[in-house]
Amino acid sequence: MKLNEKEVEILEILQKDARFEATDIAKMIGLSEAEVAETIRRLEEEKVIVHYATLVDWAKMDNYTGVTAMIDVKVTPKRGVGFDEVAERIYRFKEVSSVYLMSGVYDLSVTVEGKSMNEIARFVSEKLSTLDSVVSTTTHFQLKKYKHDGMIYASKREDNRIVVSP
């Protein structure tokens, strides 16, 4: 799908902050509110805009104990479908938040979220590594998030506390 310059501008604005309204975007790029609203509707319908999300700094929650891991997965691709079939089997697990085909030593990069390191370890040993195409895995647990999707989580210290920047 080929997009014109204004459509790309709308996408870039929404990617940075999906809370912008059509009225504001229209003023920013010189289109009418109706044109912007129709463009957004069409891009959503065509699944160019896939989803709107909120970034949450869960580390600020005293009682939050969630864990995120990035898992490098080496797989044997299947004839005729390559990596797509095993990637689909992996992304269907509820624990998996993202799957990427990668270049380099490992084939897939899988992001997994769980309540504890043990829960993720069980996922890897009981579900992921038991798939026929999976040759090996390497799990990396996230210790601290500094920046995600272009947003800086911790930029400076004030009085021994981390201050989050917008």
Side-chain angles (χ1 to χ4, degrees), residues 58 64-71 97 110-117 120 139-143 145:
W58 291 106
Y64 182 74
T65 58
V67 177
T68 302
M70 295 168 172
I71 305 169
S97 60
V110 179
T111 305
V112 177
E113 296 174 356
K115 293 179 182 168
S116 67
M117 292 173 85
I120 291 176
T139 303
H140 310 275
F141 287 97
Q142 249 183 29
L143 302 178
K145 188 182 297 188

Side-chain angles (χ1 to χ4, degrees), residues 50-70:
V50 178
H51 179 76
Y52 296 96
T54 301
L55 293 179
V56 177
D57 188 354
W58 291 106
K60 290 186 173 283
M61 305 295 292
D62 290 338
N63 58 349
Y64 182 74
T65 58
V67 177
T68 302
M70 295 168 172

Side-chain angles (χ1 to χ4, degrees), residues 18-71:
R19 292 174 48 178
F20 274 112
E21 300 202 10
T23 309
D24 299 321
I25 296 171
K27 290 175 187 171
M28 294 166 78
I29 65 172
L31 291 177
S32 72
E33 181 181 348
E35 290 172 305
V36 170
E38 172 56 26
T39 299
I40 292 171
R41 185 203 60 75
R42 185 175 45 78
L43 293 171
E44 288 171 343
E45 189 175 284
E46 295 176 9
K47 300 292 184 206
V48 174
I49 297 176
V50 178
H51 179 76
Y52 296 96
T54 301
L55 293 179
V56 177
D57 188 354
W58 291 106
K60 290 186 173 283
M61 305 295 292
D62 290 338
N63 58 349
Y64 182 74
T65 58
V67 177
T68 302
M70 295 168 172
I71 305 169

Side-chain angles (χ1 to χ4, degrees), residues 3-153:
L3 300 177
N4 67 41
E5 186 178 317
K6 294 295 183 182
E7 291 166 330
V8 171
E9 281 186 81
I10 291 169
L11 290 172
E12 288 172 343
I13 291 167
L14 289 174
Q15 185 174 16
K16 287 181 184 160
D17 188 346
R19 292 174 48 178
F20 274 112
E21 300 202 10
T23 309
D24 299 321
I25 296 171
K27 290 175 187 171
M28 294 166 78
I29 65 172
L31 291 177
S32 72
E33 181 181 348
E35 290 172 305
V36 170
E38 172 56 26
T39 299
I40 292 171
R41 185 203 60 75
R42 185 175 45 78
L43 293 171
E44 288 171 343
E45 189 175 284
E46 295 176 9
K47 300 292 184 206
V48 174
I49 297 176
V50 178
H51 179 76
Y52 296 96
T54 301
L55 293 179
V56 177
D57 188 354
W58 291 106
K60 290 186 173 283
M61 305 295 292
D62 290 338
N63 58 349
Y64 182 74
T65 58
V67 177
T68 302
M70 295 168 172
I71 305 169
D72 299 327
V73 183
K74 190 177 283 192
V75 301
T76 303
K78 294 205 174 180
R79 187 179 307 276
V81 293
F83 297 100
D84 293 347
E85 185 177 291
V86 68
E88 182 177 349
R89 290 183 68 193
I90 292 170
Y91 70 62
R92 293 200 180 281
F93 288 119
K94 66 177 178 52
E95 297 89 347
V96 174
S97 60
S98 64
V99 178
Y100 299 95
L101 179 62
M102 306 297 289
S103 63
V105 177
Y106 289 90
D107 303 305
L108 299 174
S109 178
V110 179
T111 305
V112 177
E113 296 174 356
K115 293 179 182 168
S116 67
M117 292 173 85
N118 283 338
E119 185 177 288
I120 291 176
R122 274 193 309 279
F123 167 78
V124 173
S125 65
E126 296 172 8
K127 295 180 180 178
L128 184 60
S129 64
T130 61
L131 295 175
D132 290 338
S133 297
V134 172
V135 175
S136 66
T137 64
T138 302
T139 303
H140 310 275
F141 287 97
Q142 249 183 29
L143 302 178
K144 183 176 180 180
K145 188 182 297 188
Y146 293 100
K147 186 174 183 177
H148 181 79
D149 284 347
M151 295 300 297
I152 297 170
Y153 278 65

